[in-house]
Structures are given as structure tokens and as C-alpha cells.
């Protein structure tokens, strides 16, 4: 059973970079799945950020593509999100997620991290 | 990246059935049989309820069923229970360029 645990700061200064890490247990990230991130502003709906295929390709939401990087560290069995030049509109609960490559559905979710953008 | 259209809210009485629609386009729902549905209770992460339009993961009640016709997918909850009160989202695969398109979410009230 895949388990996801998130880490990273809950407060980020406007114009700086948001960085979150998702540690995976129960499954080697180099063996399968898309590893990615979805966010949810307070009181609003879900927004897909991006996915990294275990073989290597990465896919990003076109509206965020210029500011987002998803990277994988197989030695630590974890993956990370970096979002640059953040504004208050980037305040949200950020979920890391595992997407099955065949059914293309999000099968495992992290617990979520509330990130607030404020000075 | 346009969101998939869902009704903002749907309500029903215990024991009744309700259906939530998820309308996309020929670029996403209409082309791929890869619509999934998620249930989200307040303060919790979403939970997969349906994948590939109509398949249930292990452990999901058969009161939940999915279907698709053209560019519209639907989630039906039968025998409505108090614990079904939650937000529901659809997600569709949309090809390697766009990848995912997400629904706007539906609040189900029992």
C-alpha cells in the first residue's frame, strides 16, 4: 500500500518560491505511477498542478507551467514541487498524489499541506 | 484549461438516488474513457470512488455507479445515506498536452 507524507513550510513570502516534498513509503517511485500535485484554495475546487511519469516525462497545467517544477529523487523515494514567484492566489491546500498509469486516476493522496502566501 | 461543468449542488433524502453530471468536450470526456470520480469530506483529502467511467475500486460500495454518454459523464449514488454528504469531483484525462481536466465540484446534501 502506497503511503504519502508531505513536508514543507506553511507560510511563504510573496514573490518567493514555494517548496514542498512528498515522501513515499510502501512502493519504489521508480517502479510505476505518475507522481504529482493537486491544490485546493480555501473554500474552492481542486486544481491539477502537474504529474511526473516514473519513466521520466513531466506534464504541467498550462496555466502554471512557467512557474512549476516537479522533480523526483529516487534515492530518497520522494518527489518535490517548486512554484516560483508566488502570490496570494497561490494560497491553498497542496496535495501530493499518485496517479495510476493505466486507469489514469488518482489512487493515493497525501494528507494535504495548507500553504499561505503572506508577508 | 477549461473546467468540466458540474452542478454546484445536488440534494436528496435518505434512501433516494441522485445523479451528478460532469460535462466536458470532445477533447477530454468525449474522447477518453478515463473519467474518475472523487468524494471529499471537509478537511480531508479526496477519495477515489469511480475510475474508467464506471469501475469501482475495491472497497467502494456498489451504491456508487458511473456512466458516460458522449461528452457527459455521470455519477449516481443510490440508497443515499448521511455519510454520503460531501463534495464530489470528476477528473478526465485530456491527452498528453493538457493531461488532466478537473470538474468544478458538486456539494451533495442529504
Amino acid at each position: 500500500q502506497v503511503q504519502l507524507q508531505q513536508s514543507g513550510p506553511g507560510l511563504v513570502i510573496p514573490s518567493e518560491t514555494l517548496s514542498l516534498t512528498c515522501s513515499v513509503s510502501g512502493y519504489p517511485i521508480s517502479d510505476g505511477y505518475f507522481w504529482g500535485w493537486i491544490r485546493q484554495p480555501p473554500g474552492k475546487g481542486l486544481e491539477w498542478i502537474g504529474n511526473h511519469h516514473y519513466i521520466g516525462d513531466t506534464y504541467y497545467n498550462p496555466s502554471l507551467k512557467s512557474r512549476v517544477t516537479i522533480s523526483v529523487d529516487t534515492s530518497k523515494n520522494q518527489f518535490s514541487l517548486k512554484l516560483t514567484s508566488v502570490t496570494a492566489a497561490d494560497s491553498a491546500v497542496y496535495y501530493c498524489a499518485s496517479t495510476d498509469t493505466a486507469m489514469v486516476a488518482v489512487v493515493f493522496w497525501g494528507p494535504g499541506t495548507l500553504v499561505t502566501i503572506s508577508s | 484549461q477549461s473546467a468540466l461543468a458540474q452542478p454546484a449542488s445536488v440534494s436528496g433524502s435518505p434512501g433516494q438516488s441522485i445523479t451528478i453530471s460532469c460535462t466536458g468536450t470532445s477533447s477530454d470526456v468525449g474522447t477518453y474513457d478515463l473519467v474518475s470520480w472523487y468524494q471529499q469530506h471537509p478537511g480531508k483529502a479526496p477519495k477515489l470512488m469511480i475510475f474508467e467511467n464506471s469501475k469501482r475500486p475495491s472497497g467502494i460500495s456498489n451504491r456508487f455507479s458511473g456512466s458516460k454518454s458522449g461528452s457527459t459523464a455521470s455519477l449516481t449514488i443510490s440508497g443515499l445515506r448521511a455519510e454520503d454528504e460531501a463534495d464530489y469531483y470528476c477528473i478526465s484525462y485530456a491527452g498528453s498536452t493538457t493531461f488532466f481536466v478537473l470538474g468544478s465540484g458538486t456539494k451533495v446534501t442529504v
Side-chain angles (χ1 to χ4, degrees):
Chain A
Q1 178 81 348
V2 175
Q3 291 190 320
L4 307 177
Q5 187 58 46
Q6 301 176 216
S7 59
L11 181 65
V12 180
I13 306 299
S15 80
E16 297 197 343
T17 297
L18 180 159
S19 296
L20 295 173
T21 297
C22 186
S23 298
V24 181
S25 58
Y27 190 89
I29 62 173
S30 57
D31 280 6
Y33 294 106
F34 292 99
W35 305 99
W37 297 87
I38 291 171
R39 70 182 183 179
Q40 184 172 36
K44 296 188 177 181
L46 302 172
E47 180 181 28
W48 174 68
I49 299 172
N51 279 339
H52 179 94
H53 190 263
Y54 72 102
I55 291 180
D57 289 339
T58 306
Y59 307 85
Y60 296 121
N61 184 326
S63 68
L64 298 170
K65 187 174 183 177
S66 63
R67 299 194 291 129
V68 174
T69 302
I70 295 174
S71 58
V72 169
D73 186 337
T74 55
S75 67
K76 296 181 179 179
N77 215 45
Q78 62 187 26
F79 59 102
S80 299
L81 168 70
K82 290 190 185 299
L83 180 65
T84 62
S85 304
V86 296
T87 69
D90 294 311
S91 295
V93 174
Y94 285 75
Y95 294 101
C96 61
S98 309
T99 297
D100 184 277
T101 55
M103 65 176 76
V104 198
V106 183
V107 290
F108 301 109
W109 297 76
T113 299
L114 175 61
V115 179
T116 301
I117 311 301
S118 174
S119 55
Chain B
Q1 191 185 52
S2 299
L4 303 175
Q6 295 183 234
S9 62
V10 174
S11 63
S13 301
Q16 286 186 332
S17 294
I18 61 168
T19 297
I20 303 167
S21 60
C22 169
T23 302
T25 70
S26 58
S27 299
D28 38 66
V29 177
T31 293
Y32 302 98
D33 288 326
L34 293 170
V35 175
S36 49
W37 288 90
Y38 303 82
Q39 176 192 66
Q40 186 182 34
H41 287 111
K44 300 294 187 181
K47 176 183 178 181
L48 178 65
M49 305 301 285
I50 295 287
F51 66 95
E52 292 179 355
N53 300 345
S54 60
K55 298 177 181 178
R56 280 187 307 275
S58 174
I60 299 302
S61 169
N62 59 9
R63 297 187 302 105
F64 293 85
S65 61
S67 63
K68 192 189 92 167
S69 177
S71 296
T72 298
S74 298
L75 173 72
T76 297
I77 309 174
S78 58
L80 209 56
R81 296 179 180 176
E83 61 259 37
D84 299 332
E85 188 162 292
D87 293 325
Y88 291 82
Y89 295 89
C90 59
I91 297 180
S92 176
Y93 180 66
S96 59
T97 299
T98 305
F99 199 95
F100 267 163
V101 179
L102 274 62
S104 48
T106 298
K107 181 176 181 60
V108 168
T109 302
V110 180

